[in-house]
């Protein structure tokens, strides 16, 4: 089955830039989505189709996807960005959605 | 604005059936551009997509391999909602269950509030 791997945690200082990676076999050949989940809340879509932001998502969130790795970048990180982040891709061979393992972002 | 409102019991006994409902407002379960999914989250399994239902001239469903033998997701057009049934549950099915919408390229753009379901006798 298809798997997506993320680092368990990253730390960042306020105002700095942080990047979260999502790794999977030939991930660049499929669209990747990113979700933010604050404690006790439902996830929120922050990036779709690799690079696009839904309306209402701040411009400091950006995405890229190439080769075996997709990346979510938060520029000028704020304390409100402290949350868990999950990537997602569609596995066309099995017609299933696959979530990444999740990354906890801590703003120090 | 789309809203998804979940309902169902928070406690299910082992070997019984877990049943949840997701009521939709602001969209239609029969929309030909949408699909309606159930997703669960637990500390041991993280976020796990369970399956979906959608209408494209007829009703269709897709299920995750991990639960395919035990799961049914059904639409209810009269109430504009969809449901999850998971049979023969074990404590490993204990999780927060979410319903979510996909519309076009917006995958899981709206989520329900989540329901903690505990499997215990």
């Amino acid at each position: 089955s298809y798997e997506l791997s993320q680092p368990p945690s990253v730390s960042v200082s306020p105002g700095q830039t942080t990047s979260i990676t999502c790794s999977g076999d030939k991930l660049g050949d499929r669209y990747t989505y990113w979700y933010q989940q604050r404690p006790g809340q439902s996830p929120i879509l922050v990036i779709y189709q690799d690079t696009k932001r839904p309306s209402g998502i701040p411009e400091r969130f950006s995405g890229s996807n190439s080769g075996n790795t997709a990346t979510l970048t938060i520029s000028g990180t704020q304390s409100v960005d402290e949350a868990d982040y999950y990537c997602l891709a569609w596995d066309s061979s099995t017609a299933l959605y696959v979530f990444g393992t999740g990354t906890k972002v801590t703003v120090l | 604005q789309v809203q998804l409102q979940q309902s169902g019991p928070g406690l299910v006994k082992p070997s019984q059936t877990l049943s949840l409902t997701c009521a939709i407002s602001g969209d239609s379960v029969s929309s030909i551009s949408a699909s309606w999914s159930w997703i669960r989250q637990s500390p041991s399994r993280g976020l796990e997509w369970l399956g979906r239902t959608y209408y494209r001239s007829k009703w269709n469903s897709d299920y995750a391999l991990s639960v395919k033998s035990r799961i049914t997701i059904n639409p209810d057009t009269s109430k504009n909602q969809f449901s999850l049934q998971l049979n023969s549950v074990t404590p490993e099915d204990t999780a927060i269950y979410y319903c979510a919408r996909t519309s076009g390229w917006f995958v899981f753009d709206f989520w329900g509030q989540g329901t903690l379901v505990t499997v215990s006798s």
Side-chain angles (χ1 to χ4, degrees):
Chain A
S1 62
Y2 195 72
E3 296 182 353
L4 296 174
S5 299
Q6 299 179 234
S9 63
V10 298
S11 298
V12 59
S13 299
Q16 298 303 302
T17 295
T18 188
S19 295
I20 305 163
T21 57
C22 174
S23 300
D25 185 50
K26 298 180 182 178
L27 183 56
D29 291 346
R30 60 194 82 198
Y31 282 129
T32 300
Y33 302 78
W34 289 93
Y35 301 84
Q36 175 194 70
Q37 186 180 31
R38 297 189 177 103
Q41 297 187 14
S42 302
I44 297 170
L45 178 66
V46 295
I47 293 290
Y48 69 101
Q49 286 186 279
D50 295 338
T51 62
K52 300 177 182 178
R53 281 179 292 104
S55 62
I57 300 302
E59 291 184 6
R60 64 180 181 273
F61 288 90
S62 62
S64 63
N65 187 13
S66 179
N68 295 321
T69 303
T71 302
L72 173 69
T73 300
I74 311 174
S75 304
T77 307
Q78 300 181 8
S79 58
V80 295
D81 301 329
E82 188 163 281
D84 293 328
Y85 291 83
Y86 296 89
C87 59
L88 173 87
W90 171 256
D91 180 11
S92 57
S93 65
T94 56
L96 303 174
Y97 287 109
V98 179
F99 281 98
T101 51
T103 299
K104 181 177 182 59
V105 171
T106 301
V107 182
L108 299 173
Chain B
Q1 179 77 342
V2 174
Q3 292 188 335
L4 304 178
Q5 182 66 39
Q6 299 177 218
S7 59
L11 180 64
V12 182
K13 288 181 167 46
S15 80
Q16 295 192 342
T17 297
L18 181 160
S19 296
L20 296 174
T21 298
C22 182
I24 303 163
S25 58
D27 200 348
S28 170
V29 71
S30 303
S31 168
I32 62 171
S33 62
S35 65
W36 307 93
S37 291
W38 286 98
I39 295 159
R40 68 182 178 183
Q41 184 174 31
S42 64
S44 60
R45 303 170 76 103
L47 281 168
E48 179 184 17
W49 178 78
L50 298 177
R52 64 176 180 173
T53 188
Y54 56 100
Y55 185 76
R56 303 288 186 269
S57 71
K58 68 178 179 72
W59 285 102
N60 302 274
S61 59
D62 298 310
Y63 300 126
L65 298 176
S66 59
V67 294
K68 192 169 186 176
S69 63
R70 302 191 289 132
I71 190 172
T72 304
I73 297 176
N74 282 326
D76 183 344
T77 58
S78 66
K79 296 181 179 179
N80 200 31
Q81 62 187 30
F82 63 108
S83 64
L84 166 69
Q85 286 197 313
L86 187 64
N87 302 324
S88 305
V89 297
T90 72
E92 289 194 352
D93 295 310
T94 294
I96 299 173
Y97 287 75
Y98 296 98
C99 58
R101 183 190 83 158
T102 292
S103 181
W105 290 114
F106 295 92
V107 176
F108 309 148
D109 57 346
F110 289 95
W111 295 64
Q113 79 275 24
T115 301
L116 173 60
V117 178
T118 301
V119 179
S120 174
S121 55

